[in-house]
Amino acid sequence: YTPQLSALRVDYAVADAPVTAQYVLTPFGYRSHEEVLALVSGDAEAAAQFGYAVSLSGDGNTLAVGAPYRTERDAVECGAVYLFDRLDEGWVQQVKLLLPDSEAPDTEGVHFGHSVSLDHAGRTLAVGTPKQVRGRVYLYSRESGGWNPTPQTVAYSKSTAGRYGHAVSLSGDGRTLAIGEPEGKMYPDDSNSTVKSGLVHLYDLIDKQWRPNVYLPAVSFAVEGAKLGTSVSLNNDGTVLAVGAPGYVYELSLIHI
C-alpha cells in the first residue's frame, strides 16, 4: 500500500479557541503529528458555542465559524458568525457578522450561525437562523472592501416552527443554494397538509437576486418526524444534492440524492 496523500491539516474549534491539528498519513492511517494554536475569536464567550458550524472555501484560505448561542445586543442566544482569512502570519479574523439591525425586535434565541456555508471562492456566505420566527437564511457577499455586513434575505418558511435554515449548502460556483427545513410540513402550500416530514428548498442566483427554484418534500417516505433536510450538501455546479433524513423509519437514516 502506497499512500497518495502525505499529510492532512485539520482546523477545528475547542470552546472559543480554534485549534489546528496536523495529521500525517502512515500505512496504518492518520497519526497526530503536532497541535498548535491557530486562532482565537476576538471576543471569546464561554457559552457562545463557537465552532458549532464551520465552512471552508475551496482553497482553504477563508473560514466561517458559527457561534449560535452567543449573546449580542443583550439578546441571549442571538448568535454571531466569524470570518477568518489565512494569511502569511496565520489565521486572522476579518469580521464578525451579526443579525441585521432590521431584525432587532426578533433576536433573542434565534441562533444566527447555526449553519454556515461558503462557496468555493470564499466570496459568498450563507448563514442559517432556524429558530427565528419562520426561520431565515442570510446571504453575505465579499466585495473589494471586504465583507458587506448587509445581507440578502432568502424568503422565509411558511411554517412557524419548521426550523428553516437548520442546514444550508452553497454550490461551489455560488449560484445554487439548498436550505433544509427538517420539521417543515411536506406540502407547505397546502393548508390541509399536516405531516411534518421535512423538506428542502432550492434557490438559484439570477440577476444578482436569489429566486426560488423548487422545494423537495419527502414524497417517497412521508413519515412524521423523518426530518428530511437535517443535512444538505450540493456539488460544485449545483446539479447534485445530498439530503439527510435521520428520523426516517425510526432509527434508520437516509441520504436522499
Side-chain angles (χ1 to χ4, degrees):
Y1 169 71
T2 302
Q4 300 299 308
L5 181 66
S6 60
L8 172 68
R9 178 188 174 99
V10 179
D11 295 304
Y12 62 98
V14 178
D16 282 304
V19 170
T20 293
Q22 183 169 320
Y23 295 86
V24 175
L25 181 63
T26 73
F28 304 101
Y30 285 104
R31 298 294 180 88
S32 180
H33 176 60
E34 63 178 325
E35 188 173 283
V36 295
L37 182 66
L39 52 91
V40 178
S41 62
D43 52 358
E45 178 184 291
Q49 294 287 297
F50 180 92
Y52 189 96
V54 294
S55 181
L56 274 171
S57 59
D59 61 8
N61 289 326
T62 301
L63 171 66
V65 181
Y69 289 79
R70 182 173 176 79
T71 297
E72 291 289 346
R73 302 167 181 160
D74 297 323
V76 177
E77 296 185 13
C78 174
V81 173
Y82 299 80
L83 284 153
F84 299 87
D85 283 343
R86 183 159 56 184
L87 307 176
D88 292 340
E89 62 270 31
W91 287 100
V92 178
Q93 182 177 321
Q94 299 300 311
V95 67
K96 180 176 78 170
L97 299 174
L98 302 177
L99 206 64
D101 290 338
S102 60
E103 306 288 356
D106 179 27
T107 58
E108 188 155 321
V110 299
H111 294 178
F112 177 82
H114 180 277
S115 56
V116 294
S117 180
L118 284 163
D119 67 349
H120 187 274
R123 301 193 65 82
T124 304
L125 170 69
V127 179
T129 310
K131 295 196 73 174
Q132 197 167 5
V133 175
R134 298 187 184 278
R136 294 285 194 287
V137 173
Y138 300 96
L139 274 297
Y140 294 86
S141 60
R142 190 174 202 164
E143 302 169 356
S144 57
W147 287 94
N148 185 342
T150 303
Q152 287 191 44
T153 304
V154 177
Y156 50 80
S157 170
K158 296 182 180 181
S159 170
T160 57
R163 294 189 64 84
Y164 177 91
H166 179 90
V168 295
S169 179
L170 277 167
S171 59
D173 60 15
R175 303 193 63 83
T176 305
L177 172 66
I179 301 173
E181 187 181 0
E183 296 179 21
K185 294 192 298 183
M186 186 171 67
Y187 296 111
D189 294 322
D190 183 355
S191 60
N192 295 318
S193 176
T194 59
V195 178
K196 293 184 176 181
S197 53
L199 66 158
V200 176
H201 305 259
L202 286 168
Y203 293 82
D204 290 329
L205 183 62
I206 301 173
D207 296 329
K208 298 183 179 181
Q209 296 294 321
W210 288 96
R211 304 184 187 280
N213 180 322
V214 67
Y215 67 84
L216 305 175
V219 291
S220 59
F221 47 99
V223 179
E224 181 77 23
K227 298 184 179 179
L228 181 80
T230 295
S231 54
V232 293
S233 182
L234 283 163
N235 70 336
N236 188 63
D237 63 1
T239 58
V240 181
L241 170 68
V243 182
Y248 178 59
V249 188
Y250 304 106
E251 295 183 358
L252 174 65
S253 295
L254 176 73
I255 299 296
H256 189 70
I257 298 178

